[in-house]
Amino acid sequence: MKFNTKTIHGGQKPDKAYGSIMPPVYQTSTFAQSTPGGHKGYAYARSGNPTRHALEKAFASIENGTHGLAFSSGLAAIDAVLKLLKCGDEVISTNDLYGGTYRLFTEIYENFGIKFHFIGMENANHIEDYINDNTKLLWVETPTNPMLNIIDIEMTAKIAKKHDVLLAVDNTFATPYLQRPLDLGADIVMHSATKYLGGHSDLVMGALMVKNSDLADRLYFIQNASGAICGPQDSFLALRGIKTLHVRMQRHCENAKAVATYLSKHPKVEYVYWPGFKNHPNHTLASAQMSGFGGMVSFTTKGNNYEAAIRIVEHLKVFTLAESLGGVESLAGHPASMTHASIPKEQRENIGVVDSLIRLSVGIEDEDDLIADLKQALDK
């Protein structure tokens, strides 16, 4: 199947009981058994639920994987990956990454004896300088959050395989509509399915997709043993969201291009971060690695004034000031005080998250209304 068909039919079959097109919501905690161990594939809902199982098959399909796992949040999915490690292991990570991921790495797993190196990965060859015998995982975001830096997945995968290291890619911003890391050599793909996969700002969920059966078995064990699973109602909503992923992403990309172009010409805007611009770092790589440039745009204002940035986001009317991203509605955030507040000021400014940086999740509204909203907020 081509991708647009996979979003609707990938891994899915009509329900066996009555032929329903959408999987039923199995709102149950347990399943009847005819004898101890005698059940129809499901015994207890933490270990498996038919609605969640249908979603996990859809997850695998859209990333061209063989196994999918659904979790209660994106951070729960990342947490499961880190549980593949042990004390003394080392991780090399993007230095420009989601603040919640940084917090999980540094405030939780560093306490368990795992060492993290946060480095710029725009030049993939730089990664090898940090690999040693204790390195077990490379953690990549691309495009990164919120600077939208682009990292070469295929080159990073070759480095990982050369050193027998796992490569995990956070594909939340690009989605499999634009980029499929497993096809480029990654071992694990992670999504905050809260974002574009769900697409309607009505659920919190994480996803992992893999191709290797042994790795999948280890992650399934962690999923069941740790118990950070999503419920059947959220699984149903995510399945529904995935079915329109392709048409939503097309409009997200179109609108983001229009917004980025407008901002780049505004006299009060200093810099616009959007991978579609030819002057964007690694634009050529983005053009080759992705089939579009996504729905995220970040920008800074001249003077780099914290209070001015706050006033801009407070005056937006169509864009909603809120955490998160990837919904049909446009959202605006101030990373320095919101998503990246957990990163020390000096460190976040070194990676570009300055006081005036504003991150936009460009929705699927009419582009003229979005541009008019930005104009009136910037004018004030």
Side-chain angles (χ1 to χ4, degrees):
M1 293 181 186
K2 298 287 182 67
F3 182 81
N4 292 357
T5 308
K6 276 188 175 184
T7 62
I8 298 168
H9 299 289
Q12 303 302 298
K13 294 181 180 179
D15 181 63
K16 291 181 179 179
Y18 298 103
S20 63
I21 295 298
M22 285 298 291
V25 179
Y26 284 89
Q27 194 71 51
T28 183
S29 60
T30 191
F31 301 83
Q33 302 185 29
S34 57
T35 188
H39 52 73
K40 298 179 180 180
Y42 302 95
Y44 185 60
R46 184 190 71 246
S47 303
N49 175 286
T51 315
R52 191 177 90 224
H53 189 204
L55 172 63
E56 291 175 331
K57 288 191 289 185
F59 279 161
S61 174
I62 59 175
E63 281 286 6
N64 290 340
T66 54
H67 301 81
L69 300 91
F71 294 84
S72 55
S73 70
L75 281 169
I78 300 171
D79 181 75
V81 174
L82 293 180
K83 285 173 179 170
L84 295 167
L85 308 177
K86 64 181 185 304
C87 181
D89 288 346
E90 297 189 14
V91 178
I92 300 172
S93 171
T94 321
N95 62 355
D96 164 23
L97 81 169
Y98 168 53
T101 306
Y102 178 85
R103 181 179 57 221
L104 179 68
F105 287 178
T106 59
E107 310 239 354
I108 303 294
Y109 278 94
E110 278 189 351
N111 294 330
F112 297 145
I114 296 173
K115 186 175 181 179
F116 295 87
H117 303 273
F118 298 98
I119 67 170
M121 291 185 173
E122 291 78 14
N123 182 352
N125 292 323
H126 183 52
I127 297 170
E128 279 197 282
D129 296 340
Y130 292 85
I131 294 178
N132 59 50
D133 291 341
N134 295 323
T135 307
K136 303 300 179 187
L137 175 67
L138 304 182
W139 185 268
V140 168
E141 278 184 19
T142 183
T144 61
N145 180 8
M147 304 309 299
L148 302 173
N149 288 314
I150 306 298
I151 297 166
D152 191 330
I153 298 172
E154 189 170 21
M155 179 64 72
T156 306
K158 290 177 180 177
I159 293 169
K161 285 176 172 53
K162 175 182 175 182
H163 295 277
D164 194 24
V165 173
L166 287 174
L167 170 61
V169 177
D170 182 339
N171 201 31
T172 299
F173 272 26
T175 81
Y177 177 77
L178 301 176
Q179 171 178 279
R180 288 177 284 283
L182 294 179
D183 291 348
L184 297 171
D187 299 292
I188 303 169
V189 173
M190 194 288 299
H191 284 269
S192 173
T194 310
K195 314 302 193 298
Y196 287 108
L197 298 190
H200 293 77
S201 302
D202 54 8
L203 60 90
V204 175
M205 186 182 293
L208 296 177
M209 297 81 154
V210 301
K211 281 186 175 180
N212 182 280
S213 295
D214 291 337
L215 179 58
D217 287 343
R218 293 168 66 193
L219 290 168
Y220 281 128
F221 176 84
I222 292 167
Q223 180 194 44
N224 183 47
S226 297
I229 51 93
C230 58
Q233 182 64 39
D234 281 352
S235 297
F236 177 87
L237 290 172
L239 272 167
R240 185 184 66 173
I242 287 171
K243 289 181 184 294
T244 60
L245 176 63
H246 54 302
V247 291
R248 288 186 286 105
M249 286 305 299
Q250 180 179 347
R251 179 56 62 86
H252 283 300
C253 292
E254 293 168 354
N255 282 357
K257 179 180 180 179
V259 164
T261 302
Y262 169 75
L263 289 171
S264 69
K265 299 174 182 177
H266 198 285
K268 293 183 181 178
V269 172
E270 180 72 27
Y271 198 85
V272 180
Y273 300 90
W274 179 66
F277 287 140
K278 290 183 178 180
N279 66 344
H280 186 86
N282 276 354
H283 164 76
T284 302
L285 174 60
S287 299
Q289 184 168 277
M290 303 166 67
S291 58
F293 301 110
M296 301 299 297
V297 177
S298 295
F299 70 98
T300 58
T301 53
K302 291 180 179 177
N304 190 32
N305 186 279
Y306 182 97
E307 288 75 19
I310 297 298
R311 286 197 299 273
I312 291 169
V313 296
E314 286 178 343
H315 281 97
L316 290 167
K317 297 177 180 178
V318 179
F319 283 86
T320 301
L321 176 60
E323 300 272 1
S324 199
L325 58 102
V328 293
E329 62 287 304
S330 293
L331 301 177
H334 183 245
S337 63
M338 296 170 70
T339 55
H340 290 65
S342 59
I343 299 177
K345 179 179 173 66
E346 182 179 355
Q347 185 169 341
R348 69 173 164 75
E349 289 194 338
N350 284 338
I351 60 174
V353 184
V354 296
D355 284 347
S356 71
L357 186 75
I358 294 171
R359 189 192 73 180
L360 303 177
S361 173
V362 183
I364 64 173
E365 302 95 340
D366 191 289
E367 68 177 56
D368 290 342
D369 291 329
L370 298 177
I371 290 171
D373 191 34
L374 289 166
K375 181 181 185 304
Q376 62 84 23
L378 284 162
D379 287 347
K380 289 180 180 178

